[in-house]
Amino acid sequence: MADLSTRSRETAASVGGAGLAAATRVVAAVRPAAKPLHPKGDVVTARLRRSGGHHTGSAWLDQAGSDEVLVRRSRAVGLPAGLPDIHGLAIRIPLQDGRQGDLLLAMTGRGRLTRFLLTAGRTPYSRPLTTLLPYRTPTGPKLVAAVARTEHRYELAYASAGGSWHPFGDLVLSSTQGPDPLVSFDPVRNTLPGLDNYDWVRRLREPAYRTARYSR
């Protein structure tokens, strides 16, 4: 029964991934000079601090640390400013082995169901943002959220798929422009320590990201 459930989930994710890739190709054809999704955004440096002392089994969530990171705030559809849009928050974190980890969050709710549903807002700090899809950790699936406390500071928290949110750090944006305004983030290729993609999540995401990479 478990094998059947796994196969069904992987099949659904593959079908969904193909659909997202097709939609990405359509958008890329409509506006070939820009990114298919999140075409415009502001890239700045920021300081990400993690408090440590948690017990998720994920090294990145559990360990204390402070890093200078790159942050891009963008609008998914690219509608004119002032109109509601699905805002995104992309964070690139340097890792000790010289790699980098990318964390992508989009505007959702934080309820047991709404954390999995995209929503729109007029500003990038009007509603919570989450990773939408869970990461695999030794203690089960976890989502990450960012909640704006001011225009330049976000509180970071994690939660199990249907559990309570636990603050683990904060993100403070600076006014310093990032070194590469055209930077592209990829949470499929660039994972953080102890936050792994489930196979079904990879099947769902990878075709669309691959299409977006080719379109660029």
Side-chain angles (χ1 to χ4, degrees):
M1 192 70 177
D3 290 341
L4 179 60
S5 175
T6 299
R7 286 197 301 270
S8 298
R9 185 165 55 240
E10 291 178 349
T11 299
S14 296
V15 172
L20 288 174
T24 303
R25 283 193 294 271
V26 170
V27 176
V30 170
R31 51 187 187 201
K35 287 182 173 184
L37 295 174
H38 296 275
K40 295 181 180 179
D42 296 323
V43 180
V44 298
T45 58
R47 175 60 59 176
L48 193 158
R49 300 182 180 88
R50 291 170 287 125
S51 58
H54 303 277
H55 304 283
T56 67
S58 163
W60 191 75
L61 291 177
D62 295 347
Q63 296 172 5
S66 179
D67 297 293
E68 183 174 287
V69 300
L70 204 61
V71 171
R72 186 176 192 262
R73 291 199 294 192
S74 58
R75 300 163 68 88
V77 182
L79 297 175
L83 293 178
D85 205 330
I86 302 170
H87 291 265
L89 184 71
I91 310 170
R92 172 155 291 175
I93 302 109
L95 303 178
Q96 292 183 349
D97 60 5
R99 297 186 303 109
Q100 56 202 14
D102 289 343
L103 196 64
L104 269 64
L105 304 99
M107 193 165 275
T108 66
R110 291 215 307 170
R112 296 181 187 276
L113 294 179
T114 58
R115 66 187 63 180
F116 301 108
L117 300 175
L118 292 172
T119 187
R122 294 183 182 277
T123 70
Y125 39 84
S126 59
R127 295 185 61 80
L129 302 99
T130 73
T131 52
L132 190 66
L133 298 173
Y135 285 98
R136 180 174 58 199
T137 76
T139 57
K142 297 289 186 291
L143 291 93
V144 177
V147 179
R149 297 309 183 191
T150 70
E151 291 187 21
H152 304 289
R153 176 181 171 269
Y154 291 86
E155 179 183 84
L156 302 178
Y158 71 86
S160 59
S164 301
W165 292 96
H166 305 279
F168 73 91
D170 64 6
L171 178 72
V172 180
L173 278 59
S174 76
S175 58
T176 304
Q177 187 72 24
D180 183 1
L182 300 178
V183 63
S184 295
F185 298 80
D186 192 329
V188 176
R189 289 182 170 180
N190 304 326
T191 57
L192 290 161
L195 291 178
D196 300 317
N197 287 306
Y198 284 99
D199 288 341
W200 66 269
V201 171
R202 189 177 293 106
R203 287 171 182 264
L204 182 63
R205 273 182 155 171
E206 175 56 29
Y209 278 96
R210 184 170 58 246
T211 299
R213 289 193 293 266
Y214 290 160
S215 73
R216 292 194 293 270

